[in-house]
Amino acid sequence: MEKRKARIAVLVSGGGTNLQAILDAQASGIIMSGEVTLVVSDRAGAYALTRAEKAGVRGIEINKKACGGQAAFEEKLAAALEENRTDVIVLAGFLSILSENFTSRYPRRIINIHPSLIPSFCGASYYGLKVHAAALARGVKVTGATVHFVNEIPDGGEIIAQKAVEIQPEDTPEVLQRRVMEQAEWIILPQSVEKVCAEITKV
Ligand code: GRF
């Protein structure tokens, strides 16, 4: 009997290159134990929604301001996830904070990609280019990416996977961000999604 696939919802805010890596991994068979069935953006016009549409995946926008605050935003998000019968939630370039009230509903079911080797350069104020600027400012020779379970502590959950990336002498934050995406994020996120989905659906 064919093993059921875990239903994956991907939460996004921007360009969606990590979403694309997951969609490509599903198409190539790297992700076999799950399928992306919903993409939710917390802001209008995110190119990630275009990527979802091109892949034939349902994409919706849930805007915190329009909802009228954090609690209403989380209620609407939870309702959309419920309707989608979601098994795994992937935060892929997702910039909204999720409260403990929300994350506690999904223990070991929410995973996040962070563009550094946690515990370095992580926590509430570290996201996007700021992470790479901090690594360059500190003068570290190696950085990378981390996939971890999400709990109430920003970037504080159990680590699932990490991959290191060399820093080059002339790196700018933009150049380093691109290298970390290409050589680490887009590799370990799909691998981690498959690992978690396989765990959830094992018979
Ligand atoms: C990247 O810096 C990634 O490390 C972080 O969010 C940013 C944009 O990701 N998770 P994406 O291209 O929207 O997936």
Side-chain angles (χ1 to χ4, degrees):
M1 187 258 284
E2 178 84 357
K3 195 170 76 156
R4 83 173 183 92
K5 287 181 184 286
R7 295 173 64 83
I8 304 164
V10 183
L11 309 190
V12 298
S13 298
T17 64
N18 280 289
L19 165 67
Q20 192 65 54
I22 294 168
L23 294 171
D24 293 348
Q26 191 179 312
S28 69
I30 290 172
I31 295 178
M32 294 181 294
S33 306
E35 59 180 340
V36 178
T37 51
L38 178 64
V39 173
V40 183
S41 174
D42 62 359
R43 56 204 72 190
Y47 189 68
L49 288 174
T50 304
R51 294 181 191 273
E53 189 183 356
K54 285 184 177 167
V57 175
R58 183 160 173 263
I60 62 173
E61 180 220 326
I62 300 181
N63 179 286
K64 188 185 302 187
K65 217 189 293 317
C67 291
Q70 184 74 25
F73 168 71
E74 292 184 355
E75 280 318 307
K76 194 154 183 207
L77 180 55
L81 294 167
E82 199 64 34
E83 186 201 356
N84 178 63
R85 302 193 325 279
T86 306
D87 296 301
V88 179
I89 300 162
V90 181
L91 310 186
F94 187 64
L95 296 175
S96 289
I97 298 297
L98 295 170
S99 71
E100 178 174 2
N101 177 40
F102 183 91
T103 59
S104 61
R105 299 187 207 185
Y106 307 98
R108 296 175 69 82
R109 291 296 182 97
I110 310 175
I111 69 174
N112 180 50
I113 175 83
H114 181 75
S116 75
L117 296 175
I118 288 176
S120 296
F121 313 115
C122 70
S125 61
Y126 287 99
Y127 56 88
L129 279 175
K130 293 166 81 170
V131 175
H132 304 292
L136 292 170
R138 182 63 185 82
V140 294
K141 303 303 179 191
V142 171
T143 186
T146 303
V147 180
H148 61 94
F149 283 113
V150 172
N151 61 18
E152 68 285 359
I153 304 157
D155 301 325
E158 175 189 341
I159 289 172
I160 299 166
Q162 295 190 303
K163 192 168 190 313
V165 170
E166 299 259 322
I167 289 183
Q168 308 296 343
E170 305 308 311
D171 275 348
T172 62
E174 290 77 6
V175 166
L176 182 55
Q177 177 179 54
R178 187 77 197 176
R179 188 178 312 119
V180 168
M181 284 173 158
E182 287 174 350
Q183 295 183 12
E185 296 179 41
W186 300 342
I187 294 167
I188 63 173
L189 184 57
Q191 288 172 346
S192 301
V193 168
E194 170 54 24
K195 183 167 184 274
V196 171
C197 289
E199 188 61 33
I200 286 170
T201 56
K202 74 172 186 265
V203 287

